[in-house]
Amino acid sequence: MVYRNPYVWVSGLTNFNVYVIRLAILDWGTTILTQYRGLDIGLAASIVACSELVGGVLGSALAGWVTDRVFHHRVFRCGAICTILATLCLFLFWRLPAGASWVWNAILIILSAFFVYGVSGLCGIGASKYATKKAAASSNGFVGIIAYVATILS
């Protein structure tokens, strides 16, 4: 019900990749903002902290709401859109000129985290949904374990 279920594996691998990106923002965001974008260390740390707070809380909550209301409980559709938007935000952040305003840097980092946390929140739900009721907790735990392996790579 868990290990042979392709949907659980898709959720796990997605969560693995999402955690690499999430932890890269958390671990390297301040360094990139200070060394390559010329921001003050306090401002850079505040931007990364806001990305965790705003992105984590609002991104996860809104992704769940949109999944239920707009996509009629189709977790992977909302997750795919969040992934595309996170990729777009990270691409725009990467292409942002070195002398760009700190506001643009902050907006793009926070939006990236917002969409990344949306996907992250949906991965466990998707795994639970596509496993049976008896295996919902096991599938969610399996997806979580795969995600935490990503911390090694990050």
Side-chain angles (χ1 to χ4, degrees), residues 4 18 33 36 48 51 63 68 70 83 100 103 123 132 138-140 147-148 152 154:
R4 292 185 183 175
V18 164
L33 290 172
Y36 297 104
V48 172
S51 76
D68 290 339
V70 177
T83 302
V103 174
C123 285
T132 64
S138 297
S139 64
N140 195 357
Y148 286 120
I152 297 167
S154 178

Side-chain angles (χ1 to χ4, degrees), residues 18-33:
V18 164
Y19 261 69
V20 169
I21 296 167
R22 177 185 160 218
L23 293 170
I25 292 171
L26 183 62
D27 294 342
W28 293 100
T30 305
T31 303
I32 291 169
L33 290 172

Side-chain angles (χ1 to χ4, degrees), residues 2-17:
V2 175
Y3 304 114
R4 292 185 183 175
N5 188 333
Y7 293 111
V8 173
W9 280 96
V10 167
S11 292
L13 294 174
T14 301
N15 212 14
F16 177 87
N17 291 315

Side-chain angles (χ1 to χ4, degrees), residues 26-87:
L26 183 62
D27 294 342
W28 293 100
T30 305
T31 303
I32 291 169
L33 290 172
T34 55
Q35 292 183 6
Y36 297 104
R37 301 295 167 90
L39 293 164
D40 175 65
I41 186 76
L43 179 60
S46 297
I47 290 170
V48 172
C50 284
S51 76
E52 286 291 303
L53 294 173
V54 173
V57 174
L58 295 179
S60 296
L62 190 61
W65 186 86
V66 168
T67 297
D68 290 339
R69 302 285 187 246
V70 177
F71 293 103
H72 307 290
H73 314 293
R74 293 181 185 104
V75 175
F76 291 129
R77 290 182 185 181
C78 186
I81 290 172
C82 284
T83 302
I84 291 166
L85 292 173
T87 303

Side-chain angles (χ1 to χ4, degrees), residues 86-151:
T87 303
L88 177 66
C89 290
L90 286 169
F91 177 78
L92 292 173
F93 175 74
W94 174 56
R95 299 300 297 164
L96 204 60
S101 169
W102 69 269
V103 174
W104 283 111
N105 284 287
I107 288 170
L108 290 172
I109 287 283
I110 291 170
L111 281 175
S112 297
F114 179 85
F115 293 119
V116 163
Y117 269 101
V119 178
S120 180
L122 293 175
C123 285
I125 293 167
S128 297
K129 179 180 176 182
Y130 291 106
T132 64
K133 287 184 180 182
K134 289 184 177 181
S138 297
S139 64
N140 195 357
F142 178 69
V143 167
I145 289 169
I146 291 174
Y148 286 120
V149 171
T151 59

